[in-house]
Amino acid sequence: MQEFKPYIAHDQTVDEFTPKAILLGALFGVLFGAVTVYLALRAGLTVSASIPIAVLSIAVFKRFGKSTILENNIVQTIGSAGESIAAGVVFTTPAFLFIASGGAKEYFNLVQIISLAAAGGIIGVLMMVPMRRALIVKEHGTLPYPEGTACAEVLIAGERGGEMAKTVFSGFWAAVVYTVLNKLFALWKEVPKLLNTSPTGVYKNALLTTEITPEYLGVGYIIGPRLAGIMVSGSVLSWLALIPLLSMFVPDAQVQVDLAKLGFGQGWIDSHSHAEWFYRAYIRYIGAGAVAMAGLMTLVRTLPTIFASVRDSVREMRGGKGAIEQKRTERDIPITWVAAGSLVMALLIPFLQKMPVGFPWYFLVSVLIVVFGFFFVAVSSRIVGLIGSSSNPISGMTIATLLGTCLIFVLAGWANDPSKQAAAQAAALAVGAIVCIAAANAGATSQDLKTGYLVGATPFHQQIGLLIGVLVSVAVIGFTIIAMHNSPMGPIGSEKLPAPQGTLMATIIQGVLSRDLPWGYIFVGAALSLTVQLCGVNGLAWAVGAYLPISTTFPIFVGGAMRWVADKIRGQADESELSSGMLYSTGLVAGGCIAGLLLVLAWKFFPNVTHFGEGLQERLGETPGTLIALAAFAALCAVQVRKALQKLEL
């Protein structure tokens, strides 16, 4: 087989791990970490940050000085760590708020979140080191690592110039202006209602709303019409079929009793619609069962991949000794550093987390972190190599970790002792959170290492850069999630910050350990997810849609539809990651999220700053306000399609 030759040869001396690259990468890590927290809390979704960071790095360095391709690669490597860490944090740590046992909520604080994020991120990087040659190098022709390959193309194209940065920035500023006019000046409704039937009609409590934000539109375009359609189909079943069906058989009085058991007060019940009652009382459990089943089915299908990843990684570690002199492009962090760092992290975590576990449970938690962490880091890396980071089922891996951990705790007798249930639930969630963060970061790390392999980067520098990215981003991630919980959008778990994965994690932990899970609804959701999977549909995407509010998934579906329209007009459906439509949509996501964060901060520190146009909406009324909102969103969609049809000069 012919030896692969990277863009920068191993014997070339090129600036790479420079102070300016490290500083800019750290800045992007902080920025995209905060953006990902915002997006994941609101939609339960994340978007890979590597490509936009690479584009922005090229643009910044061209404006303020020169840079090499390897410096730009270090920037995107460090910056992308923040996005992956944020995803793992948001998917798990909010579960501390949803665990009912006394004392669990105290773990949702800044110190606990930062220590979990740092430990999971570092473990994800370290455990990927011995797998790099097995998965990135030896399987170069087998595992494409789509985002990593596309990012390498961006960096190489950046060496030759192009219009990519202008396209990203045009989407960014369009989203900022749209968000300010919508959320600050309230010139049109944020969540127009398209369908809202009465509780006494023939078709009871059907609800179709859409949160017309640029970030959801951009996400839909990026994931494409098929995945967006699968997601919204889950919401359609929940909000337009299951809620009306349950409304025919479950009296309102019973729904209110069930809501009270879940902790919803009479004030909340009186201020929310009947459709929202059924969603909170029943549909979320059905969605949780669907997501759990879909995640487990995904793991079952990837068992051969799991075995091969672990087997090859062990072989690499055994064969890594004895190398006399390595090429620059083959030099990794020494395996002794990897072993020592992983051990230190595992032993420190129970202490830093102040878990109420004594000897020997302290070491049991450490062992679970190491075993599950290594196992799912290997799985995550291989899966993203095949299907990309955006489709990485880290929720399924976390569910498997929680089930295994809780089962061990049950066998240890913790579930039978009420005094230990809070400790067991907190400890199980901490293990699941670290493994989830490690798996998420391992997926992003794999893509970064693939990019480096293609452009000729030094793996050692990338791996050190990834560790830097983890450490600089965890603080802002912790501050952002706490700030959003206490913001006007909050608390986490409310309509605007549903945090679907966190609720799911809490439901699973409590159900296994305290045996209070409403298994009937869980099993219905699991059966529905199995049915969808047997139809050949992506069960995990459908299940997430079944769990999320339809106001979230419908604008994402519209974004996917805009990509379908652009493809039809263009006559080409296979759109590249480097196309004008994809880059513009990435700008929409970044601009909408950043504008939303800035408005949250403005309302936090200046509470007297309110929506200036609220009076206008009241005067307009429901129907005219809805039509104006739809017209504004349609205009944004039209601009998106127009940008997508423009030829991008590379």
Side-chain angles (χ1 to χ4, degrees), residues 47-134:
V47 177
S48 177
S50 295
I51 292 175
I53 291 176
V55 171
L56 293 172
S57 173
I58 294 168
V60 169
F61 279 140
K62 281 190 174 182
R63 184 172 183 83
F64 297 103
K66 296 182 179 180
S67 64
T68 69
I69 188 173
L70 298 189
E71 284 178 314
N72 289 322
N73 180 58
I74 286 294
V75 172
Q76 72 85 18
T77 297
I78 296 175
S80 64
E83 173 261 330
S84 59
I85 297 296
V89 169
V90 173
F91 288 169
T92 53
T93 56
F96 285 120
L97 296 170
F98 309 139
I99 292 177
S101 297
K105 288 186 178 181
E106 70 183 49
Y107 291 93
F108 188 81
N109 61 66
L110 190 61
V111 174
Q112 305 292 102
I113 292 173
I114 289 176
S115 61
L116 280 174
I122 291 172
I123 288 173
V125 174
L126 291 179
M127 290 188 174
M128 261 306 300
V129 172
M131 301 181 196
R132 186 189 68 85
R133 276 181 286 166

Side-chain angles (χ1 to χ4, degrees), residues 355-372:
M355 292 181 187
V357 295
F359 184 85
W361 308 116
Y362 179 100
F363 295 103
L364 174 61
V365 171
S366 298
V367 170
L368 291 173
I369 290 171
V370 172
V371 172
F372 283 118

Side-chain angles (χ1 to χ4, degrees), residues 19 51 70 86 103 131 162 165 202 205 209 270-271 339 350 553 561 580 588 600 645:
I51 292 175
L70 298 189
M131 301 181 196
V202 176
N205 298 327
T209 60
D270 293 339
S271 62
T553 59
S580 55
L588 288 179
V600 167
L645 296 176

Side-chain angles (χ1 to χ4, degrees), residues 602-617:
W603 290 322
K604 177 73 175 176
F605 294 105
F606 304 99
N608 294 326
V609 178
T610 58
H611 292 72
F612 300 118
E614 286 179 347
L616 173 63
Q617 294 302 320

Side-chain angles (χ1 to χ4, degrees), residues 341-358:
S342 300
L343 182 62
V344 168
M345 285 292 101
L347 293 177
L348 279 179
I349 276 302
F351 173 74
L352 293 175
Q353 287 289 300
K354 298 180 181 179
M355 292 181 187
V357 295

